[in-house]
Amino acid sequence: DTAVSQTPKYLVTQMGNDKSIKCEQNLGHDTMYWYKQDSKKFLKIMFSYNNKELIINETVPNRFSPKSPDKAHLNLHINSLELGDSAVYFCASSLPGLATHEQFFGPGTRLTVL
Amino acid sequence: DQQVKQNSPSLSVQEGRISILNCDYTNSMFDYFLWYKKYPAEGPTFLISISSIKDKNEDGRFTVFLNKSAKHLSLHIVPSQPGDSAVYFCAASQRGGAQKLVFGQGTRLTINP
């Protein structure tokens, strides 16, 4: 029973295209995140939504637009893809007030821009 | 500006011995520290965390130590098992506001039989 799921798992596309990655969590969490893991393996926050409201936007190019139709879903749309967008994108969710402060991560989407 | 650093990209340990993974941070506003484990082609999974008001937290084979004055934390795994072979990420979060995690670059741990 998957807690945080992402689709697709792999995405290969040409420069200049527009693509979307979907994320869903069935944990009942209020907060969802997008992280990017680049070629140097750094995991960096991109966006966070709390109950469909944007609360974190970490100087990400405006070609990236997150959308949260409800608190269980956070999608990431990327316009005019560039070579440097190639990375693994992880969705995560959390419940504020959890004693451990943990965030639950999805399996990742590997995006390759050719 | 890398606020969380894991200076050892890799570590190799004999099965049954202790594994010690290290992490340093620069931001004194961090108030919670977490360790995640990651297998290839999977998302990070939470292992253990520690609040800045504590200096030790233990959960089974895993213990995290925090030295606030040195801005240093470590994860001890004892005894190490082959299934512990993975990449381990240290992460920190700051009090107040949204709980974004700031990650180190990871340490690849290999447990040798």
Side-chain angles (χ1 to χ4, degrees):
Chain A
D1 193 20
T2 307
V4 182
S5 59
Q6 296 178 227
T7 53
K9 191 162 176 64
Y10 300 96
L11 186 52
V12 181
T13 188
Q14 299 287 329
M15 263 192 344
N17 284 351
D18 303 338
K19 290 293 179 186
S20 291
I21 307 171
K22 296 187 175 182
C23 177
E24 177 181 1
Q25 54 95 4
N26 61 7
L27 298 166
H29 290 168
D30 295 321
T31 307
M32 295 184 72
Y33 310 81
W34 278 109
Y35 287 84
K36 178 181 179 181
Q37 186 178 33
D38 61 22
S39 56
K40 294 182 180 177
K41 306 302 181 188
F42 285 103
L43 262 163
K44 291 186 180 174
I45 184 78
M46 298 174 69
F47 300 103
S48 176
Y49 271 74
N50 181 266
N51 270 323
K52 303 193 295 176
E53 181 183 342
L54 181 66
I55 54 174
I56 296 176
N57 182 341
E58 287 283 310
T59 60
V60 177
N62 57 15
R63 297 183 296 104
F64 291 77
S65 52
K67 284 187 172 52
S68 182
D70 55 64
K71 73 173 191 176
H73 296 84
L74 180 61
N75 304 322
L76 183 65
H77 188 75
I78 316 170
N79 288 327
S80 304
L81 277 155
E82 300 177 358
L83 292 176
D85 298 332
S86 295
V88 182
Y89 293 84
F90 290 98
C91 177
S93 71
S94 71
L95 191 61
L98 257 183
T100 58
H101 287 221
E102 70 177 287
Q103 295 179 11
F104 294 76
F105 283 80
T109 296
R110 181 175 293 276
L111 171 65
T112 303
V113 182
L114 303 174
Chain B
D1 176 28
Q2 201 181 329
Q3 299 182 67
V4 178
K5 295 181 185 179
Q6 294 175 256
N7 291 318
S8 298
S10 63
L11 176 67
S12 188
V13 173
Q14 206 72 21
E15 182 180 357
R17 307 294 287 263
I18 184 171
S19 296
I20 301 176
L21 297 106
N22 294 303
C23 178
D24 297 295
Y25 63 96
T26 57
N27 188 341
S28 57
M29 296 297 290
F30 288 145
D31 69 335
Y32 230 89
F33 302 90
L34 302 87
W35 284 94
Y36 278 82
K37 175 180 179 179
K38 186 182 180 305
Y39 292 120
E42 295 183 12
T45 54
F46 172 77
L47 264 180
I48 191 169
S49 63
I50 187 167
S51 163
S52 60
I53 63 173
K54 295 186 174 181
D55 55 18
K56 178 183 174 181
N57 189 25
E58 194 171 351
D59 184 1
R61 297 186 298 115
F62 302 93
T63 303
V64 56
F65 296 92
L66 175 63
N67 182 335
K68 279 183 64 178
S69 59
K71 293 192 176 69
H72 177 84
L73 63 153
S74 61
L75 173 69
H76 292 211
I77 306 172
V78 56
S80 301
Q81 299 173 354
D84 295 331
S85 295
V87 177
Y88 288 78
F89 288 95
C90 170
S93 66
Q94 189 168 324
R95 66 177 66 90
Q99 289 181 336
K100 71 174 184 180
L101 293 178
V102 180
F103 282 86
Q105 64 268 53
T107 296
R108 181 177 299 279
L109 175 65
T110 302
I111 306 301
N112 301 308

